[in-house]
Amino acid sequence: MMMMRGSILLVVVVVAFLFVGPSLAQQRDCTIDDYTATYTACRADNKRDLVYFLNQPVTCSVGGGGGGFVPPYKYNLSCNLACDEGYYLPMGETQCAQCSPGSYSRGGALLFSQFYDWPSSGLMFNTYCLAGLRDPVRASCPGWQLEGAYMMSGNVTDSQASVLELNTIIVSSIAHVHFTYRVDAERNYDFFYFEVDGVIVLPKTSFTLTYVDFRANLTAGYHTLRWIYAKDVSLSGGEDAAFIDMIEVSGTRFADDACTPCHRGTATEKYGSEKCDDCPLNTYADSENMTSCKPCPTGTYSFEGSPSCLPRLACTEKDYDFNHTRCMQGRDGSGTQSLQYHWLEPIICDPSNSNSVHLPPAEPLACGPCDSGFYRDERTYQCVACASGSYTDGKGTNNDGFTTCTSCNAGQAAIKEFNITNFDAWMPNSDTGCAGKCGSPGWRLRGDFIDSGVGHGLNVDVWFSFDVELYQPGTLSFQYFLNCSLCKLTFSTEGPNGNLNGSIANAYAILGRNVDVTLDLPMGRTTLFFNFNKQSTTFDSSEEKRRNDLVRLNYIFVDGVEDGGASSCTPCSQGSVANQGAYMCTNCTAGFQSNAESTNCVACPPGQFSSVSGLPCRLCGEGTVPTADRTSCTLNCTYTLPGTSSTFDFSPLSQPSFYTPPIVISDHTYLLSVCNQVPAKNTTCYDDEGKPLVTSSCQITPDGYGIDLGNLLAYAPLADYADSVTGLDMIYTGGLAGCARFYNKTDVPRQTVIHFLCDTTAGKGIPVPKGALENKMCVYEFEWRSLYACPECSMDDVEEVYGPCVYGKRQIHYYWADNPTQCHDGIKLPPTRVVNCTITTLTCPAGMYVKDDGGNASDEETCVACPGGTFSLGGGLRIDNWNNGGSGDDGNGNNNNNQLPPGFNHINTCTGGQVCSQWRVAPDGRSLLSGVGSSALGATYTFNLPGTVKFHYQVYISQSGSFGFFIDGVIRLYEGAQKVMTQPREFFFDVEAGVHNFKWSFFSGRLDSPNALDFEGAYLYDIEFMGLDSADAQCTPCAPGWVSSSNSSSCRQCPANTYANGRHTYCIQCSAIDANSYSMPGSEVCLPRPTCSDEDYYLVYGDCTMNGDGTLSRSASYTRKMPSICLDGPLAYRPPAPAETQCAPCPDGLYRDGAQCKICADGTYVDPSSPVSDPPCKAPEGDHYLYKELAYFTTDGDNHWSAEWQTGCHGDGCFNSSGWRIRESCIESSDHLDGRVDSWVSLYIQIDASTYTTEASVHFLYDVDQTGPQNNGLFFLIDEVPHMLISTTSGEQTFPLNVGAHSLKWIAHKEAGGGSTVSARVRSIRIRGSVRGPSFASVCPAGTSTAQKTSSDVYNCALCPPGTFSAVSGASECTRCPAGTFASSQGSTGCEPCPAGTYTEGEGAAYCITNCSFTLRGGQVVDLSRLDSSSSAGSVSDSDHNTYYISPCEMTYCNPTFNPNADKKTHVCINTLGGDVLDGGSLLASVEQYNNTE
């Protein structure tokens, strides 16, 4: 170990010599002052060493001939020697030493109190912002800011928190964190608090009058300290900030290594000081380390804590003031007093200066008038308050000149008050003081006003307070004059519960003029605080500013005080009364009121109530009536909208306590109660005095007390929603006033609005905030989706459908007008009824109808035009909205989507063991969707005239499914396997008059199969029957989202960004309802546009261009995704413009020529392994061949659709989307809104007929994201034949392609319905074997040889002929098949053995031969040689009319027209019904068969 220490010392010495240089001999010897001592890190044994390092640059010599000084190291010193405050541990010592006078020690504590720069060692702070108290996501705000003399929480926006964080290790078992703070924020909503290791130790605070001292103990170990200023979702108050002017952390070290010198302006003469004291008035300390402050020289002065003195100027009239002596009886019997003058404290002028003014002598004066409400006592000559019930305005006098008091009349009251305009003496129970760098010890009496004193610097709080006792709620008024740009006046009160509240939010901004302020005061004893705060960022030595920075109060007025006097008689307001000589108005009890200036209370008029004593009666809310005692309104849970039959019943949502669960937003909890007020005995919602609140809507603040957000119920029609939304507003008014001041407006009572929205699927539901909770001033809005927000069902919710007139009878069917129904309970659907009718002889054209005569032939029939919002076909039926008549009721008020319109029925097609299901209404309501397995839909209608049936259909058949349409049992339409339609097709068929049965069938439906490749299904749209009658008996309403004018034969769909909610004649622009809303085509409601973000844009690159300096670059820009529904306009969000970027690399097989990517000439290819040449193209090697391959979207250089691409979109969800779009390195199916979508993109290609060596194929990569039904996903079709359906996955696919032209198609399919989405991306599409594109080289594969390959035919290798093979790539020649084996086709990679009973005639056989003689296992010989193809037994036909020609022994060509050189012989030929000729088998083998007995 000693050797190690020696080596350490040697290193130090050597390093020192390295820096000495060549002039070593001329340098002096080193002393202790040339070294810096430091401790090593503490080791595991809690020991450390003291080592020394030479100061740089080295200016002395060590050792050698000079014998310079080398200090000895000290080893194994304890790491935990602790010293108290005022002591320090000298370097290398083991005993603490006292600090000398002029210095101090904090006992190892670290102090941060000069806020100009963040500490570089010791206390290492970090500051940042969070997006919310519970949200760990960082937000963009500056965090805490250093301001010199203090730091503040910075600029924080709504729903953000500014965090100051300190991570520290405490080594001592006795440690603390100590800081001083001040906060001025929105009361009870925005807060400052302090955490230790995530635990709040300083409770959340919104306001402090002055800086507050806080200390918390810390244990040994690692700690995270966080000072947090957090804002709620809206509004601000006060300065909207927290401030800290000192942070001290002890325990991070056991002791200080040295004492800290006293700063300028401070001194200490004690040994062992823990701090230095500010120099008193008229003293100074002009350097550090001073033991005492020096007195200012004659003719100068200083304020507290000064580093220098300022010259005393000549005194002026501004430097003295006056006060009045007490009034007393003079010699002549009248009241007299004197006016006395005095220098203002502190005295900062020089009275001895010859240019100074002198104090004026005292002046005798007659006693002035008493303040209003007071009179001068004739015995004591002092001002005394008028007796209770009487008043004086100070103007009326008796014969002796003394003011008299007058009694108030009945209906009036003499309200006692203080009106202080004379400040010769302090009020009773008053106090004043100062904290910080004070110039004056507190506020000063100035005769006509009081002020905050002078000479204040840095952070100063100067307060003045006095107590008042109010016998009734009163008001405070005062006037201030502020003369300081960095100062403010704060007023607050402290009531019986100690709460601080109220603040002049922007007092520091109103400078240089008198400002009047009026505030309400509660009844009881209250302390009034006026605080002058000067918050300078730097030390202020300017005499002018320190002399003039102040605030003054010119008057203070308080009414309702016990010890005051009345200056007038106040008429009693409505709700209160007074008899003769009263000093206050008495409130009428709840349920009663009075007229102004009355002596009697009367009961509230009919329809009105009064719940609180002293308030005028007010009307009950809409839908409620007063209770018998008129103290409240009945909270009826049922309400009928005026002028309608819509009755709402909220009683299932009513309960005696608050509705749960609580709603928590930004640390505030909201409790709602429907239809009733929570009684006063509730244990949940208390006010700030601990009293239970009688309310229907309660906000609980983070401090735990409640705020009444409304207690008077009223019903109102649903506001701020589209006409198509059903519901009702429940409004609670009369909440606590007080929030509007943050809008710089008069306070108004808070209120709560619950927007009840009809949702038959929600059950009871729960309330949620509507956007930002307080979007409107003092109004708290919630949305509550619930079944009970729907009205009870009535006949207004039912529509009639007239059936055709058959044999004098007509059925009238009833169905719900909406699906899903927008009502609950109430009436049930009436049963179908039959009425008399006559078949009309009148023909009415489309757009008109004839009213049914009910079987009365005497009524004259006429054609009547259909009104707007309806249509007629002129004797037909069209079903284009399956929700409208496609639903029913199960008898319990529930919807049943499998019930169909009149005339339709579900057909059971199941036979034993089959899977069957019913057609059902698709989520979009515009179509019917087939089910799983077999599903059949039927309809029966009577055609009184020859007519037609017409409909649109769309099928998705990937394998074995099929779709058929039958009329009277005869199939009229059939779609078989492997068909996927991207848009509906139309079908129509003529029918004769009479009764007809129609059936739509789908077989092998697999909509819900877990295997996506099995997806099978069909959709039906717009079914129309014409010829049912010569005229329609009624007009059909247009579906929501569709409109028509009068006399219309059809309805037209509303375009995007408009809506119609049924039976409309025109589409309403969304902008007429909300400028920031949108809709899809055919919508019945508009939706709010979300705010744009980066997700609404994608990057688009321009073409590669050559710059002037020879470099290559391309432009880049952001393009809005379509369909675009986010907010647009000049203020809409747009991503920053990207900078120009490098050009994308050329795709594989291409080379760069300047800004262009080019293809090598035919017969050559780009060899990626060869050195770059110009151009880098070469011919293939002898054992290689070339093939062509088209590549798309392999790099982000593809930015345009080429001619062979097409794209489109079909369905309601397409909106503004025209199909797929090009993204970086891929194509994407775009974004789609709610509604069915088939977004497709197709590629047309040609496969080269001469490229027989290469197996042609298409290969691509894909990603699919989807939610909703399993058949949402990505289809891929080759020549309209489906090959796959992929959902929610990523991967790659390769499919072979035949020679010729092909259509490749990708379809992103999405079902309608909420939450149904699909997004597909395809990239790196490669077409191998195409007729065009770049060439690629590959080794000749097995089955080929290079022996016959010509140099000119670089795109093929020679295929091995039949009877030969090659088993490896790059073979030079083909090998003949051995005897007994054969290879029947060219390009073989091996030979097959001949089957039993066959043989070859040597090597190189292309097939095996036989003599048709076979020996069986038992020894029998079978000879088939006499059978040949000419035999009548050689042909046979099957049930499908296919003919089989069999030649057992001899192989033959199937058709004489075949080319013998190109086609092979076979034993079996098949001639199909369609005329095709197929090879049925060319390899003969004998198979021995035995019967069951052998």
Side-chain angles (χ1 to χ4, degrees), residues 468-474 495-496 521-527 560-562:
V468 292
E469 184 79 33
L470 274 68
Y471 63 85
Q472 67 175 30
L521 295 178
M523 185 172 66
R525 188 173 185 83
T526 301
T527 301
V561 291
E562 283 284 3

Side-chain angles (χ1 to χ4, degrees), residues 1194-1255:
T1194 59
T1195 72
D1196 59 17
D1198 290 326
N1199 55 9
H1200 302 293
W1201 292 111
S1202 51
E1204 60 268 28
W1205 287 93
Q1206 291 185 3
T1207 184
C1209 186
H1210 180 80
D1212 293 338
C1214 293
F1215 198 44
N1216 293 330
S1217 171
S1218 58
W1220 288 54
R1221 60 176 171 241
I1222 299 175
R1223 294 287 302 272
E1224 307 97 301
S1225 306
C1226 74
I1227 53 175
E1228 185 180 58
S1229 62
S1230 299
D1231 299 301
H1232 305 291
L1233 307 182
D1234 193 15
R1236 286 190 64 246
V1237 169
D1238 283 297
S1239 181
W1240 58 270
V1241 61
S1242 62
L1243 170 63
Y1244 296 92
I1245 60 168
Q1246 182 79 27
I1247 298 301
D1248 189 358
S1250 64
T1251 310
Y1252 56 82
T1253 301
T1254 299
E1255 181 179 346

